[in-house]
Amino acid sequence: MFQGFLGTYTPRLDDKNRLVLPARFREQLAEGLVMTRGQERCLCVWPVEGFRQATRRLAEAPMTSRAVRDYQRVLFAGAHDEVPDKQGRVTVPQPLREYAGLVRDCAVIGADTRVEIWAADAWASYLSAQEDTFSALSQEVPPGLL
């Protein structure tokens, strides 16, 4: 069975700003996770080991590059680590909720090595805008990959 994160789910933030992780994601995130800012105003969630792997590669990038320093600052300054509770809930900190525009309805999507959390309306808009691009990009994917 595929070991990455797949699918789209629509949980809600509760009154304590907790999000129930989709049942299919809980086992991979049970030992702990790191949540931080992602691109396009979503949040990215990695299993702790997945975040370590990603940041190891980032640590190998040249510190003389302003783009690398800028990226590291934004990534790590917004990072939050947590272990989900027994019901699979995680708290989404206020700065991250504000960044992603999370109020109540969310879209939680599997993105292979990570999970992304979007405001439900932002995800719907993004997906709608990307439909044609997705179709066109299939021509750029290396032959035989898909």
Side-chain angles (χ1 to χ4, degrees):
M1 184 180 285
F2 183 74
Q3 296 298 309
F5 296 102
L6 300 172
T8 301
Y9 306 87
T10 55
R12 290 184 165 179
L13 287 175
D14 69 13
D15 293 338
K16 295 181 180 179
N17 297 308
R18 296 176 300 191
L19 182 80
V20 177
L21 295 168
R24 293 192 65 170
F25 297 170
R26 290 181 198 164
E27 185 176 332
Q28 291 173 274
L29 299 170
E31 298 299 315
L33 57 87
V34 176
M35 181 185 308
T36 191
R37 294 177 186 100
Q39 285 71 33
E40 292 83 38
R41 295 272 175 187
C42 72
L43 302 181
C44 288
V45 178
W46 285 274
V48 170
E49 186 54 36
F51 189 73
R52 280 190 191 118
Q53 290 173 10
T55 57
R56 268 189 227 121
R57 291 189 301 270
L58 190 55
E60 294 169 4
M63 288 301 299
T64 55
S65 167
R66 182 181 179 111
V68 169
R69 293 190 312 272
D70 289 346
Y71 187 84
Q72 287 176 327
R73 288 175 183 137
V74 172
L75 180 72
F76 291 110
H80 170 79
D81 61 342
E82 185 170 351
V83 175
D85 68 13
K86 292 178 182 174
Q87 288 78 39
R89 296 176 300 197
V90 293
T91 300
V92 182
Q94 179 182 358
L96 293 179
R97 288 193 318 273
E98 289 174 3
Y99 172 80
L102 302 178
V103 178
R104 185 107 173 119
D105 295 328
C106 299
V108 176
I109 66 164
D112 189 14
T113 59
R114 68 187 184 284
V115 172
E116 292 182 353
I117 303 171
W118 292 73
D121 58 344
W123 172 246
S125 294
Y126 175 83
L127 191 57
S128 176
Q130 295 305 313
E131 295 277 331
D132 290 337
T133 303
F134 177 73
S135 181
L137 286 176
S138 68
Q139 296 174 15
E140 295 180 27
V141 174
L145 185 60
L146 292 178

